[in-house]
Amino acid sequence: MYRNSETVYQSLLKAGRSEEDARYLSTVRIFSNQSGNYGTGLEGAVLASDTWEQESKLADLYTRRMGIAFGADESRWSERVEDVNLYEQALSGTDGVVFSRSTNLYALLTNDDPFQYFGGIALAVRNVDGKTPEMFVSNLRKKNGEKVQTMENFLAAELRARYLHPRWIKQMQNEGYAGATAILDRMNNFWGWEVMAPEYVKDEQWQQFYEVYINDKYEMDMDKFFAQSNPAAQAQMLERMLEAVRKGYWPADDKTVRHMTERYIEITNRNDVYTNNDIFKEYVNSTAAGFGLASLTQVTQQNEAATPPDAQTAMQDTRVEGQVMEKVQQSEYKVRSLIYDI
């Protein structure tokens, strides 16, 4: 800690800071959002996988959002140090990161907070030092049985006991639409971990997601469940899996890729499912062509060709009317919207 502070101190002096200012900033240990803001921005950015090719773009987003200094001087709280990335320098040299869990309700994939905060630090350190730090979970769930586990083991146990377990899946099926959405959420959070800390996510775990939810390993009528409850959820799961293949995170075999591509096109054909990821659509079309399958474009053209001309004209001429918006007196309260970009 002392050696790192001295390194930061020297870099700040070289950046033109006074000795007093450099000494103060080199001792800052708390970093967060600027006052009034919330979140890392990673929860949405990581899913917008067509907007980044290099993980460094996500790391820069994280350190920019979370790199606001809160030191001993309260008058300087929420300060952004513009001429040097103070947060990156504070993170440099980190060997290990610890995250705690004291409840059985939440784990690593229950929501996006663990990957965007715990994982975000790992991503930032890797971007600065070129190596992901060791990651540990302080498991405080059992009284007198507290233990520290590697993030890899904790995640693997969570997958086996919950999201890849037929009893958990059955309960999600009982919940219909909400259950299908919950399954999709876990997949999206798993993808978030893949991007944040790829060393701790295994190829066979991706394969198991495919085997269980697409290939119906447990014979639980997964296609029927999603078709009746929320077909878009399965389509988005397939999009996430195929994006993992496209971006080189998961080297799935040809048989798996073909089946996922075919199933994705089938769902798109039967349901009003849409993605605005044009790069992904091009990838699906290219992959489909390689396997001799109909592409997404061909499917759309086939649907249009199957629609009678008079029906097409009727749809074009249909006018949709609704309520008319009228100007109202402006409230004394102001609403502030925040737009995060990367």
Side-chain angles (χ1 to χ4, degrees), residues 175-204:
E175 297 299 321
Y177 178 89
T181 303
I183 294 171
L184 171 62
D185 286 344
R186 274 48 175 191
M187 164 59 69
N188 286 337
N189 295 333
F190 183 72
W191 162 256
W193 271 114
E194 175 67 82
V195 178
M196 298 299 109
E199 297 89 342
Y200 298 106
V201 174
K202 305 302 180 184
D203 294 339
E204 55 265 30

Side-chain angles (χ1 to χ4, degrees), residues 18-31:
S18 67
E19 291 189 12
E20 181 182 2
D21 196 40
R23 180 60 68 191
Y24 167 75
L25 291 173
S26 69
T27 63
V28 173
R29 292 292 178 267
I30 298 177
F31 295 88

Side-chain angles (χ1 to χ4, degrees), residues 91 94-99 117-119 121-122 125 133-137 149 151:
L91 288 174
T94 299
D95 295 320
V97 184
V98 182
F99 180 80
Y117 290 99
F118 181 31
I121 291 179
V125 172
E134 293 188 69
M135 305 186 73
F136 303 95
V137 176
Q149 297 176 260
M151 179 267 184

Side-chain angles (χ1 to χ4, degrees), residues 15 60 68 133-134 136 224 262 279 340:
D60 291 341
I68 307 302
E134 293 188 69
F136 303 95
K224 181 179 179 181
E262 189 172 26
I279 297 176
Y340 306 141

Side-chain angles (χ1 to χ4, degrees), residues 31-49:
F31 295 88
S32 185
N33 297 103
Q34 196 160 24
S35 296
N37 290 350
Y38 176 80
T40 67
L42 290 175
E43 73 283 6
V46 73
L47 293 177
S49 51

